[in-house]
Amino acid sequence: MSTTTPTTTSGWRWRNLLSRSILHIGLLGWTALVLIPFVLIILLSLRSNADIYTNGLGLGGDLRPGNYEVAWNGGAGTAGMATYFLNSAIVALTSLLVALGVGVTAAYFAIHLSERARKLFLMVFLVATVIPLVLMIVPFYQAFNTLGVVSQPVAVGLVYGALCLPVTILVVHAFFVDFPRELIEAAALDGTGAWRTYLFIVLPLARGPIAAVAMLNLVFVWAEAQLGVILLQSPDSQTVPVGLLSFQGQFTTDLGPLFAGLAIGSIPIMLIYLVFNRQVAKAITVGGFGGR
Protein backbone atom coordinates (compact mmCIF):
# COMPACT_ATOMS: atom_id res chain seq x y z
CA MET A 1 0.00 0.00 0.00
CA SER A 2 2.75 2.40 0.92
CA THR A 3 4.60 1.74 -2.41
CA THR A 4 1.66 1.96 -4.86
CA THR A 5 0.09 5.22 -3.67
CA PRO A 6 3.01 7.54 -4.70
CA THR A 7 3.23 5.76 -8.07
CA THR A 8 -0.50 6.25 -8.67
CA THR A 9 -0.32 9.91 -7.63
CA SER A 10 2.69 10.52 -9.88
CA GLY A 11 0.94 8.90 -12.85
CA TRP A 12 -2.17 11.02 -12.30
CA ARG A 13 -0.05 14.16 -12.21
CA TRP A 14 1.70 13.24 -15.46
CA ARG A 15 -1.61 12.52 -17.21
CA ASN A 16 -3.02 15.79 -15.90
CA LEU A 17 0.09 17.70 -17.08
CA LEU A 18 -0.08 16.02 -20.50
CA SER A 19 -3.77 16.82 -20.98
CA ARG A 20 -3.26 20.45 -19.95
CA SER A 21 -0.28 20.76 -22.31
CA ILE A 22 -2.32 19.40 -25.22
CA LEU A 23 -5.15 21.81 -24.34
CA HIS A 24 -2.78 24.80 -24.23
CA ILE A 25 -1.15 23.84 -27.53
CA GLY A 26 -4.59 23.55 -29.12
CA LEU A 27 -5.62 26.97 -27.77
CA LEU A 28 -2.40 28.56 -29.00
CA GLY A 29 -2.91 27.00 -32.44
CA TRP A 30 -6.50 28.25 -32.59
CA THR A 31 -5.41 31.75 -31.50
CA ALA A 32 -2.73 31.83 -34.21
CA LEU A 33 -5.26 30.63 -36.80
CA VAL A 34 -7.55 33.55 -35.90
CA LEU A 35 -4.87 36.24 -35.63
CA ILE A 36 -2.73 35.40 -38.68
CA PRO A 37 -5.26 36.63 -41.29
CA PHE A 38 -5.65 39.99 -39.51
CA VAL A 39 -1.86 40.38 -39.13
CA LEU A 40 -1.45 39.64 -42.86
CA ILE A 41 -4.06 42.32 -43.69
CA ILE A 42 -2.11 44.87 -41.62
CA LEU A 43 1.18 43.93 -43.31
CA LEU A 44 -0.30 43.97 -46.82
CA SER A 45 -2.01 47.31 -46.15
CA LEU A 46 1.43 48.92 -45.83
CA ARG A 47 2.83 47.52 -49.09
CA SER A 48 2.84 48.61 -52.72
CA ASN A 49 1.08 46.57 -55.37
CA ALA A 50 4.40 45.25 -56.73
CA ASP A 51 5.56 44.15 -53.26
CA ILE A 52 2.27 42.35 -52.63
CA TYR A 53 2.55 40.36 -55.85
CA THR A 54 6.26 39.55 -55.38
CA ASN A 55 5.95 38.82 -51.64
CA GLY A 56 2.58 37.42 -50.77
CA LEU A 57 3.25 37.25 -47.02
CA GLY A 58 3.61 41.03 -46.83
CA LEU A 59 7.19 40.92 -45.50
CA GLY A 60 9.90 43.10 -47.00
CA GLY A 61 9.67 46.03 -49.41
CA ASP A 62 8.99 49.69 -48.66
CA LEU A 63 6.37 50.77 -46.16
CA ARG A 64 3.52 52.82 -47.65
CA PRO A 65 1.41 54.29 -44.81
CA GLY A 66 -0.17 56.56 -47.43
CA ASN A 67 -2.39 53.61 -48.38
CA TYR A 68 -4.51 54.44 -45.31
CA GLU A 69 -5.07 58.02 -46.52
CA VAL A 70 -6.12 56.74 -49.95
CA ALA A 71 -8.47 54.21 -48.35
CA TRP A 72 -9.96 56.80 -45.99
CA ASN A 73 -10.74 59.19 -48.86
CA GLY A 74 -12.06 56.34 -51.07
CA GLY A 75 -11.88 55.98 -54.83
CA ALA A 76 -13.79 57.81 -57.56
CA GLY A 77 -17.54 57.38 -57.17
CA THR A 78 -17.31 56.34 -53.51
CA ALA A 79 -18.24 58.37 -50.43
CA GLY A 80 -15.14 57.61 -48.34
CA MET A 81 -14.68 55.87 -45.01
CA ALA A 82 -15.94 58.81 -42.89
CA THR A 83 -19.37 58.55 -44.52
CA TYR A 84 -19.35 54.77 -44.20
CA PHE A 85 -18.59 55.00 -40.48
CA LEU A 86 -21.38 57.54 -39.95
CA ASN A 87 -23.89 55.32 -41.78
CA SER A 88 -22.75 52.25 -39.84
CA ALA A 89 -23.22 54.17 -36.59
CA ILE A 90 -26.77 55.20 -37.60
CA VAL A 91 -27.66 51.63 -38.61
CA ALA A 92 -26.12 50.13 -35.47
CA LEU A 93 -27.79 52.63 -33.09
CA THR A 94 -31.21 52.16 -34.72
CA SER A 95 -30.95 48.37 -34.64
CA LEU A 96 -29.85 48.34 -30.99
CA LEU A 97 -32.74 50.58 -29.96
CA VAL A 98 -35.20 48.20 -31.65
CA ALA A 99 -33.58 44.96 -30.51
CA LEU A 100 -33.06 46.02 -26.90
CA GLY A 101 -36.23 48.06 -26.51
CA VAL A 102 -38.55 45.41 -27.90
CA GLY A 103 -36.52 42.26 -27.27
CA VAL A 104 -35.61 42.84 -23.61
CA THR A 105 -39.15 43.92 -22.75
CA ALA A 106 -40.66 40.87 -24.46
CA ALA A 107 -38.12 38.57 -22.81
CA TYR A 108 -39.00 39.88 -19.33
CA PHE A 109 -42.79 39.79 -19.59
CA ALA A 110 -42.63 36.31 -21.17
CA ILE A 111 -41.67 34.90 -17.75
CA HIS A 112 -45.20 35.73 -16.57
CA LEU A 113 -46.77 33.51 -19.24
CA SER A 114 -47.89 29.99 -18.55
CA GLU A 115 -45.30 27.28 -19.07
CA ARG A 116 -46.89 26.10 -22.32
CA ALA A 117 -47.31 29.61 -23.75
CA ARG A 118 -43.74 30.54 -22.80
CA LYS A 119 -42.29 27.48 -24.55
CA LEU A 120 -44.32 28.28 -27.68
CA PHE A 121 -43.16 31.91 -27.50
CA LEU A 122 -39.50 30.88 -27.29
CA MET A 123 -39.93 28.23 -30.00
CA VAL A 124 -41.01 30.88 -32.51
CA PHE A 125 -37.82 32.88 -31.98
CA LEU A 126 -35.69 29.73 -31.84
CA VAL A 127 -36.94 28.75 -35.30
CA ALA A 128 -36.26 32.30 -36.53
CA THR A 129 -32.57 31.92 -35.71
CA VAL A 130 -32.11 29.14 -38.29
CA ILE A 131 -33.74 30.92 -41.25
CA PRO A 132 -30.97 31.79 -43.76
CA LEU A 133 -30.59 35.53 -44.24
CA VAL A 134 -30.21 35.14 -48.00
CA LEU A 135 -33.84 33.97 -48.26
CA MET A 136 -35.05 37.35 -46.95
CA ILE A 137 -33.18 39.54 -49.42
CA VAL A 138 -35.79 39.59 -52.19
CA PRO A 139 -38.82 40.15 -49.88
CA PHE A 140 -36.99 42.93 -48.05
CA TYR A 141 -36.01 44.63 -51.31
CA GLN A 142 -39.57 44.48 -52.63
CA ALA A 143 -40.87 45.98 -49.39
CA PHE A 144 -38.22 48.73 -49.38
CA ASN A 145 -38.86 49.51 -53.04
CA THR A 146 -42.62 49.72 -52.47
CA LEU A 147 -42.20 52.00 -49.46
CA GLY A 148 -39.55 54.11 -51.22
CA VAL A 149 -36.95 53.70 -48.48
CA VAL A 150 -34.14 52.08 -50.47
CA SER A 151 -30.77 53.59 -49.46
CA GLN A 152 -32.14 54.81 -46.10
CA PRO A 153 -29.78 53.75 -43.26
CA VAL A 154 -32.48 54.21 -40.59
CA ALA A 155 -34.84 51.85 -42.43
CA VAL A 156 -32.07 49.27 -42.76
CA GLY A 157 -31.36 49.68 -39.04
CA LEU A 158 -34.99 48.80 -38.29
CA VAL A 159 -34.60 45.60 -40.33
CA TYR A 160 -31.39 44.66 -38.53
CA GLY A 161 -33.13 45.34 -35.22
CA ALA A 162 -35.87 42.90 -36.15
CA LEU A 163 -33.28 40.32 -37.20
CA CYS A 164 -31.54 40.70 -33.82
CA LEU A 165 -34.73 40.06 -31.84
CA PRO A 166 -34.44 36.23 -31.67
CA VAL A 167 -30.94 36.27 -30.20
CA THR A 168 -31.83 39.13 -27.85
CA ILE A 169 -34.94 37.43 -26.51
CA LEU A 170 -33.37 33.97 -26.13
CA VAL A 171 -30.28 35.25 -24.32
CA VAL A 172 -31.96 37.78 -22.01
CA HIS A 173 -34.93 35.53 -21.26
CA ALA A 174 -32.53 32.89 -19.91
CA PHE A 175 -31.38 35.51 -17.38
CA PHE A 176 -34.90 36.66 -16.45
CA VAL A 177 -36.04 33.08 -15.79
CA ASP A 178 -33.63 32.93 -12.86
CA PHE A 179 -34.37 36.50 -11.72
CA PRO A 180 -35.30 36.55 -7.99
CA ARG A 181 -39.10 36.43 -7.87
CA GLU A 182 -38.97 37.70 -4.30
CA LEU A 183 -37.97 41.15 -5.55
CA ILE A 184 -40.86 41.26 -8.02
CA GLU A 185 -43.35 40.04 -5.40
CA ALA A 186 -42.05 42.53 -2.82
CA ALA A 187 -42.46 45.38 -5.31
CA ALA A 188 -46.02 44.22 -6.02
CA LEU A 189 -46.82 44.17 -2.28
CA ASP A 190 -45.53 47.75 -2.04
CA GLY A 191 -47.99 48.77 -4.74
CA THR A 192 -45.43 49.15 -7.54
CA GLY A 193 -46.92 48.47 -10.94
CA ALA A 194 -45.54 45.94 -13.38
CA TRP A 195 -43.97 48.53 -15.67
CA ARG A 196 -42.37 50.51 -12.82
CA THR A 197 -40.97 47.26 -11.43
CA TYR A 198 -39.56 46.42 -14.84
CA LEU A 199 -38.06 49.86 -15.47
CA PHE A 200 -36.68 50.72 -12.02
CA ILE A 201 -35.91 47.34 -10.42
CA VAL A 202 -35.42 44.68 -13.08
CA LEU A 203 -33.57 46.64 -15.78
CA PRO A 204 -30.85 48.08 -13.49
CA LEU A 205 -30.08 44.54 -12.24
CA ALA A 206 -29.97 43.19 -15.81
CA ARG A 207 -27.35 45.60 -17.12
CA GLY A 208 -24.74 42.83 -17.59
CA PRO A 209 -26.81 40.52 -19.85
CA ILE A 210 -28.21 43.51 -21.74
CA ALA A 211 -24.72 44.88 -22.41
CA ALA A 212 -23.58 41.44 -23.51
CA VAL A 213 -26.41 40.87 -25.97
CA ALA A 214 -25.95 44.43 -27.26
CA MET A 215 -22.35 43.55 -28.06
CA LEU A 216 -23.38 40.36 -29.88
CA ASN A 217 -25.89 42.30 -31.97
CA LEU A 218 -23.40 45.08 -32.68
CA VAL A 219 -20.85 42.61 -34.06
CA PHE A 220 -23.50 41.15 -36.38
CA VAL A 221 -24.82 44.52 -37.59
CA TRP A 222 -21.38 46.05 -38.11
CA ALA A 223 -20.19 43.17 -40.32
CA GLU A 224 -23.42 42.38 -42.21
CA ALA A 225 -23.21 43.05 -45.95
CA GLN A 226 -25.67 40.72 -47.74
CA LEU A 227 -28.73 42.87 -47.08
CA GLY A 228 -26.72 46.09 -47.15
CA VAL A 229 -25.57 45.56 -50.74
CA ILE A 230 -29.18 45.30 -51.92
CA LEU A 231 -30.84 47.86 -49.64
CA LEU A 232 -28.10 50.53 -49.56
CA GLN A 233 -27.41 51.23 -53.21
CA SER A 234 -26.49 54.91 -53.03
CA PRO A 235 -22.78 55.49 -52.19
CA ASP A 236 -23.76 58.13 -49.61
CA SER A 237 -25.91 55.62 -47.70
CA GLN A 238 -23.54 52.66 -47.57
CA THR A 239 -22.13 51.18 -44.39
CA VAL A 240 -18.52 50.12 -43.80
CA PRO A 241 -18.76 46.52 -45.14
CA VAL A 242 -20.82 47.59 -48.15
CA GLY A 243 -18.43 50.44 -48.90
CA LEU A 244 -15.44 48.11 -48.64
CA LEU A 245 -17.00 45.90 -51.31
CA SER A 246 -16.93 48.88 -53.67
CA PHE A 247 -13.21 49.23 -52.89
CA GLN A 248 -12.71 45.86 -54.55
CA GLY A 249 -13.63 47.38 -57.90
CA GLN A 250 -11.99 50.74 -57.30
CA PHE A 251 -8.61 49.36 -56.20
CA THR A 252 -8.34 46.23 -58.32
CA THR A 253 -5.02 47.44 -59.68
CA ASP A 254 -3.80 48.81 -56.34
CA LEU A 255 -4.36 46.33 -53.54
CA GLY A 256 -2.61 48.29 -50.76
CA PRO A 257 -5.52 50.73 -50.17
CA LEU A 258 -7.96 47.82 -50.34
CA PHE A 259 -6.23 46.05 -47.45
CA ALA A 260 -5.93 49.39 -45.61
CA GLY A 261 -9.69 49.82 -45.91
CA LEU A 262 -10.25 46.33 -44.51
CA ALA A 263 -7.99 47.15 -41.55
CA ILE A 264 -9.76 50.49 -40.87
CA GLY A 265 -13.17 48.83 -40.99
CA SER A 266 -12.13 46.08 -38.57
CA ILE A 267 -10.46 48.20 -35.89
CA PRO A 268 -13.55 49.79 -34.21
CA ILE A 269 -15.43 46.54 -33.70
CA MET A 270 -12.28 44.80 -32.46
CA LEU A 271 -11.68 47.54 -29.88
CA ILE A 272 -15.28 47.32 -28.66
CA TYR A 273 -15.00 43.54 -28.43
CA LEU A 274 -11.78 43.77 -26.41
CA VAL A 275 -13.57 46.04 -23.91
CA PHE A 276 -16.71 43.89 -23.61
CA ASN A 277 -15.32 40.38 -24.29
CA ARG A 278 -16.19 39.10 -20.78
CA GLN A 279 -19.82 40.18 -21.14
CA VAL A 280 -20.01 38.45 -24.53
CA ALA A 281 -18.65 35.20 -23.09
CA LYS A 282 -21.19 35.39 -20.22
CA ALA A 283 -24.04 36.02 -22.67
CA ILE A 284 -23.11 32.98 -24.77
CA THR A 285 -22.90 30.83 -21.64
CA VAL A 286 -26.22 32.06 -20.24
CA GLY A 287 -27.99 31.78 -23.58
CA GLY A 288 -26.67 28.29 -24.25
CA PHE A 289 -27.02 26.62 -20.88
CA GLY A 290 -28.94 28.86 -18.52
CA GLY A 291 -32.41 28.69 -20.04
CA ARG A 292 -35.13 26.36 -18.87
Side-chain angles (χ1 to χ4, degrees), residues 71-74 78-91 153 222 232 234-244 247 264:
W72 183 262
N73 294 327
T78 63
M81 292 298 293
T83 301
Y84 298 154
F85 273 113
L86 176 61
N87 291 329
S88 283
I90 293 173
V91 170
W222 192 269
L232 297 172
S234 169
D236 292 333
S237 67
Q238 293 174 344
T239 56
V240 170
V242 179
L244 289 177
F247 278 20
I264 293 173

Side-chain angles (χ1 to χ4, degrees), residues 31-174:
T31 302
L33 192 65
V34 173
L35 289 180
I36 285 176
F38 184 72
V39 172
L40 283 177
I41 289 175
I42 297 294
L43 293 174
L44 293 171
S45 68
L46 296 169
R47 296 291 186 271
S48 66
N49 216 34
D51 289 338
I52 291 175
Y53 279 113
T54 57
N55 201 332
L57 292 179
L59 302 174
D62 298 329
L63 292 177
R64 296 185 61 179
N67 288 340
Y68 281 87
E69 182 180 357
V70 176
W72 183 262
N73 294 327
T78 63
M81 292 298 293
T83 301
Y84 298 154
F85 273 113
L86 176 61
N87 291 329
S88 283
I90 293 173
V91 170
L93 181 61
T94 305
S95 64
L96 288 181
L97 287 175
V98 173
L100 298 182
V102 177
V104 174
T105 304
Y108 168 70
F109 285 100
I111 66 175
H112 300 290
L113 298 174
S114 65
E115 186 71 16
R116 184 176 181 181
R118 191 165 62 85
K119 286 184 178 180
L120 180 62
F121 171 79
L122 295 177
M123 186 64 67
V124 171
F125 290 98
L126 185 63
V127 171
T129 61
V130 299
I131 298 176
L133 184 60
V134 68
L135 296 181
M136 306 179 191
I137 291 178
V138 173
F140 274 131
Y141 176 74
Q142 290 177 334
F144 269 57
N145 197 32
T146 302
L147 297 173
V149 292
V150 175
S151 299
Q152 295 293 330
V154 174
V156 176
L158 295 175
V159 172
Y160 285 147
L163 294 175
C164 292
L165 280 178
V167 171
T168 303
I169 290 175
L170 293 175
V171 170
V172 181
H173 179 77

Side-chain angles (χ1 to χ4, degrees), residues 172-255:
V172 181
H173 179 77
F175 169 79
F176 284 141
V177 166
D178 292 327
F179 191 85
R181 297 298 181 97
E182 295 80 5
L183 291 177
I184 301 175
E185 293 170 358
L189 290 175
D190 289 340
T192 306
W195 279 100
R196 286 182 60 83
T197 302
Y198 168 65
L199 293 174
F200 299 107
I201 297 178
V202 176
L203 282 186
L205 296 176
R207 285 176 298 182
I210 292 174
V213 80
M215 184 64 214
L216 289 175
N217 291 333
L218 183 60
V219 171
F220 163 72
V221 173
W222 192 269
E224 206 290 320
Q226 293 184 69
L227 276 177
V229 169
I230 304 300
L231 302 179
L232 297 172
Q233 299 181 358
S234 169
D236 292 333
S237 67
Q238 293 174 344
T239 56
V240 170
V242 179
L244 289 177
L245 289 177
S246 67
F247 278 20
Q248 188 177 6
Q250 294 291 327
F251 298 122
T252 302
T253 56
D254 193 3
L255 296 177

